[in-house]
Amino acid sequence: MAGKDTISISFKIADGDNGLKTLILDADGLRKVMAANVEEAKKLEEKVFSLAATATVLNSVSSAIGQIASTLQSLTSESESFNKAMRAANTMAGKDSDGFKHLKGEVADLAKQIPIARDELANGLYQTISNGVPEDNWIEFLNTSARSAVGGIADVNKVVGVTATIIKNYGLEWSAHGQ
């Protein structure tokens, strides 16, 4: 009985002169077939390792592309949100293309100075304009209101509304909002 790692081969030697020669030739043929099988197994192993390495690289590339797509989606949605809010503000401002670009740039610059998202500032600009703040005071009023909102942990739109209401009710000058 053969064990797990044992190969059992039986030979039958026929009577005659060439029986031993046939056995030697058959054994030599078996050795060549087994050697060829070992070589084929090695080639197959190399191909499997190569395929696994390629699959790993493709998986890494796919993951990187997914991360890039996610980042671009995040940036695009933030930019689209800002553009939408600025277009809404421009419905109140009534600026032409150049004026709109300038106004948009001023709001974007404010976002670099004040830790508030650009779209929130654009919404604050809408509130600023709709509350009757004169055009030459829009950005300064928004700046002061946004800074107050950050300092008071409040919503910029509410700060704009409350400040504008106080200025109007007390008949103050719009330039007095920062004092």
Side-chain angles (χ1 to χ4, degrees):
M1 181 171 172
K4 263 183 159 177
D5 297 331
T6 306
I7 297 174
S8 177
I9 301 174
S10 298
F11 295 102
K12 192 173 194 179
I13 301 175
D15 291 339
D17 292 340
N18 67 353
L20 190 54
K21 287 181 186 177
T22 303
L23 178 62
I24 292 171
L25 288 174
D26 286 345
D28 191 43
L30 179 61
R31 184 189 58 77
K32 286 179 184 176
V33 168
M34 291 185 76
N37 282 337
V38 168
E39 286 302 315
E40 286 300 316
K42 285 181 183 178
K43 288 178 186 175
L44 182 61
E45 179 183 41
E46 288 173 6
K47 287 180 182 178
V48 167
F49 283 136
S50 177
L51 181 62
T54 301
T56 301
V57 168
L58 289 176
N59 188 33
S60 296
V61 168
S62 175
S63 177
I65 289 172
Q67 289 174 348
I68 290 170
S70 176
T71 300
L72 289 175
Q73 175 65 29
S74 174
L75 292 174
T76 302
S77 69
E78 179 183 326
S79 180
E80 182 55 34
S81 177
F82 174 62
N83 286 333
K84 183 178 178 183
M86 282 303 300
R87 285 191 303 271
N90 198 43
T91 61
M92 296 296 289
K95 296 291 184 182
D96 64 7
S97 178
D98 290 337
F100 176 70
K101 285 180 186 174
H102 179 72
L103 195 57
K104 191 175 173 182
E106 287 184 301
V107 173
D109 288 343
L110 270 182
K112 293 175 186 172
Q113 301 169 19
I114 304 170
I116 295 181
R118 294 182 313 166
D119 57 335
E120 288 183 53
L121 287 171
N123 288 328
L125 177 64
Y126 178 91
Q127 291 299 321
T128 297
I129 297 168
S130 68
N131 274 292
V133 175
E135 184 174 344
D136 58 338
N137 292 88
W138 287 349
I139 299 301
E140 186 55 39
F141 186 86
L142 178 61
N143 183 351
T144 304
S145 296
R147 290 180 188 281
S148 297
V150 169
I153 310 173
D155 179 74
V156 136
N157 292 331
K158 290 181 181 176
V159 172
V160 166
V162 168
T163 305
T165 300
I166 290 170
I167 288 173
K168 286 189 245 179
N169 288 344
Y170 286 96
L172 301 172
E173 293 294 319
W174 287 104
S175 59
H177 68 280
Q179 300 172 357

